[in-house]
Amino acid sequence: MNNGKVSRRRFLRTVGTAAAMAALGGPAIEALAAPYERKLVRFPEKGELILLTSRPPQLETPLPLFKDLVTPNENVFVRWHLSDIPTSVDLAAWRLQVGGNTEKELQLSMDDLKKFEKVTFTAVIQCAGNGRSFFAPRVPGGQWKNGAMANVTWSGARLRDVLNAAGVKAGSVDVSFNGLDKGPLPTVPDLIKSLVMDKALEEDIIIAYEMNGKSLTLLNGFPARLIVPGWYATYWVKSLSDISVNTKAFEGFWMNPAYRIPDTECGCIPPGSKPGRTVPINRMSTRSLIIAPGEGEKLARNKPANIMGVAFSGGYGIKDVVVSTDGGRTWARADLGKDLGKYSWIQFTLPWKPAKAGKYTLMAKATNGIGDSQPFEGLWNPAGYLWNKVEPLSVTVN
Ligand SMILES: Nc1nc2c(c(=O)[nH]1)N[C@H]1C(S)=C(S)[C@@H](COP(=O)(O)O)O[C@H]1N2
Ligand SMILES: [Mo]
């Protein structure tokens, strides 16, 4: 399907079908932990993904689809907060407004945006709430398992170049980003995110108009979205329409109280407790996940089984991944696959030939380029963010 050309009727029909099958998500804020059915559904430009809610769409990627080093566009998860999302965008009319405390107001068309130097890199996109359903005690919000992530090759213009073209004036403290989606009522806060000035001017932040060499899919933010590699996707504002340079720190619901973590070393607090000081969530914690074999799979004795998975960090690359086939008693260093850069995930493999029948517990543990690794126990915070514990996986050998 041609990107951005999904007709509104077709979109609504598809979404409508899904809606009929599933309990509707809350009207806006992800405050309700609905009893999700996790059915496979197909939305426009998407393959079969797991439905969490249909309004707004929250679609999770089934783990076997992470066998690809780079995730195909149709397999990339979908997450919107507000029910009124763009169902079509007329590129001829679309403009990206850049203004606020700048020398000039820019109204960039897609052609204008494409005149800036084009930058391409592969980066993991991951929802801050990926793995939230595993929190104990449970926490409200989208009950994701581990499929709210993907590894995508993004292309676009540097945010810095665009800001410089507008001319950032002295006294600017941060930059805020708004997209075309809206809440169903004026009382529902619009999703606006901000980055402090120094962060916004970092070289690797881009306004992406391509994913894997094609236009963005509508559900993943057509025609352009922010990419803040290494940071959780809450900042990766989709269907961008406005960028504003601010002289007063931006304060909005989605910066405070939403998307904050306890201001502690681990971003965690004792399970069930209340945080004191909080800070906006930012860099992703280090993670690894075994993709094959899958949970509960049955393997044959004395036959080679490749243990394969993915590992990534918040922009520091992965130094090593160790794998255990005996529930964590002994560990072996896995082979690492092709390196697509510090923001990409890397595939790891460990050849394995189980000689004895029985039940095995497999585990993987990654260490990033600056020595951060993964805990064996889930770290807890009240919003269900930063999930990165070593996940045990059971297989049976016959
Ligand atoms: N405009 C807009 N951008 C958004 C959001 C949103 O609700 N509206 N959600 C953010 C969050 S929390 C996530 S996890 C990612 C999801 O991106 P995806 O749907 O492409 O996977 O988009 C981010 N950007
Ligand atoms: Mo998210």
Side-chain angles (χ1 to χ4, degrees):
M1 189 181 307
N2 215 331
N3 292 300
K5 299 235 173 77
V6 188
S7 82
R8 185 175 169 88
R9 213 170 78 227
R10 163 120 201 244
F11 185 93
L12 291 177
R13 199 188 327 128
T14 318
V15 172
T17 312
M21 296 191 302
L24 289 183
I29 301 153
E30 52 167 18
L32 315 161
Y36 297 119
E37 286 183 65
R38 299 182 62 85
K39 284 191 172 131
L40 287 177
V41 290
R42 245 176 195 280
F43 274 53
E45 302 173 282
K46 293 275 128 189
E48 286 201 327
L49 299 175
I50 302 160
L51 179 73
L52 270 64
T53 60
S54 50
R55 268 200 93 198
Q58 295 190 84
L59 311 173
E60 177 168 346
T61 308
L63 293 192
L65 297 181
F66 295 135
K67 283 177 184 155
D68 295 307
L69 174 56
V70 174
T71 314
N73 291 356
E74 62 165 17
N75 294 344
V76 176
F77 79 101
V78 173
R79 200 268 183 266
W80 293 86
H81 290 79
L82 309 173
S83 55
D84 190 354
I85 64 169
T87 52
S88 68
V89 178
D90 177 3
L91 250 201
W94 177 82
R95 292 290 180 276
L96 177 57
Q97 298 222 50
V98 186
N101 195 39
T102 55
E103 306 287 347
K104 284 184 276 188
E105 274 263 332
L106 305 181
Q107 306 263 353
L108 302 175
S109 67
M110 184 52 77
D111 286 346
D112 296 334
L113 193 58
K114 288 186 172 172
K115 283 181 195 131
F116 290 91
E117 186 188 342
K118 185 175 178 180
V119 179
T120 298
F121 54 79
T122 302
V124 170
I125 173 168
Q126 183 185 212
C127 179
N130 197 24
R132 181 183 286 130
S133 66
F134 304 120
F135 271 67
R138 290 175 73 86
V139 295
Q143 297 298 301
W144 304 102
K145 293 192 176 179
N146 283 320
M149 61 179 197
N151 195 39
V152 175
T153 303
W154 307 97
S155 307
R158 279 190 199 92
L159 173 64
R160 181 166 84 180
D161 294 348
V162 170
L163 290 174
N164 285 341
V168 175
K169 291 207 281 197
S172 303
V173 297
D174 66 17
V175 184
S176 53
F177 305 87
N178 195 1
L180 296 170
D181 49 334
K182 288 193 282 299
L185 299 166
T187 48
V188 174
D190 200 1
L191 187 128
I192 305 174
K193 296 294 294 186
S194 67
L195 296 172
V196 297
M197 211 61 232
D198 285 355
K199 181 69 191 175
L201 292 174
E202 276 183 8
E203 178 162 25
D204 291 347
I205 298 179
I206 63 171
I207 301 168
Y209 44 77
E210 284 178 12
M211 56 196 289
N212 298 326
K214 295 182 220 118
S215 307
L216 303 184
T217 64
L218 195 48
L219 286 167
N220 295 113
F222 181 86
R225 77 179 302 172
L226 197 67
I227 302 295
V228 187
W231 282 31
Y232 284 102
T234 175
Y235 295 97
W236 302 30
V237 176
K238 301 195 277 187
S239 303
L240 261 184
S241 53
D242 292 274
I243 298 179
S244 171
V245 177
N246 306 312
T247 51
K248 242 184 72 200
F250 172 80
E251 277 175 26
F253 177 84
W254 300 101
M255 290 301 295
N256 192 1
Y259 284 107
R260 296 177 80 87
I261 51 173
D263 188 14
T264 59
E265 177 79 21
C266 58
C268 63
I269 50 174
S273 67
K274 285 212 160 62
R277 247 178 74 89
T278 61
V279 292
I281 194 168
N282 47 80
R283 213 172 273 288
M284 293 190 283
S285 55
T286 301
R287 296 199 69 168
S288 64
L289 207 64
I290 295 174
I291 304 303
E295 172 62 41
E297 214 166 287
K298 294 192 171 39
L299 306 173
R301 199 158 54 92
N302 284 325
K303 274 189 86 180
N306 240 359
I307 299 173
M308 175 271 168
V310 299
F312 59 94
S313 72
Y316 299 109
I318 289 295
K319 194 163 65 191
D320 65 52
V321 179
V322 290
V323 172
S324 173
T325 55
D326 56 9
R329 273 191 295 279
T330 61
W331 297 86
R333 199 185 252 251
D335 298 321
L336 298 184
K338 192 172 174 195
D339 184 357
L340 294 183
K342 60 186 178 180
Y343 298 120
S344 170
W345 69 35
I346 197 158
Q347 294 178 318
F348 64 86
T349 47
L350 185 79
W352 183 44
K353 201 157 114 184
K356 275 196 236 141
K359 217 181 145 191
Y360 289 79
T361 300
L362 313 184
M363 295 176 168
K365 186 172 182 282
T367 301
N368 77 2
I370 57 166
D372 294 333
S373 190
Q374 304 179 250
F376 284 96
E377 294 298 327
L379 305 178
W380 195 91
N381 58 72
Y385 299 143
L386 310 172
W387 185 255
N388 75 330
K389 86 184 263 285
V390 171
E391 307 269 18
L393 182 147
S394 305
V395 294
T396 312
V397 174
N398 294 310

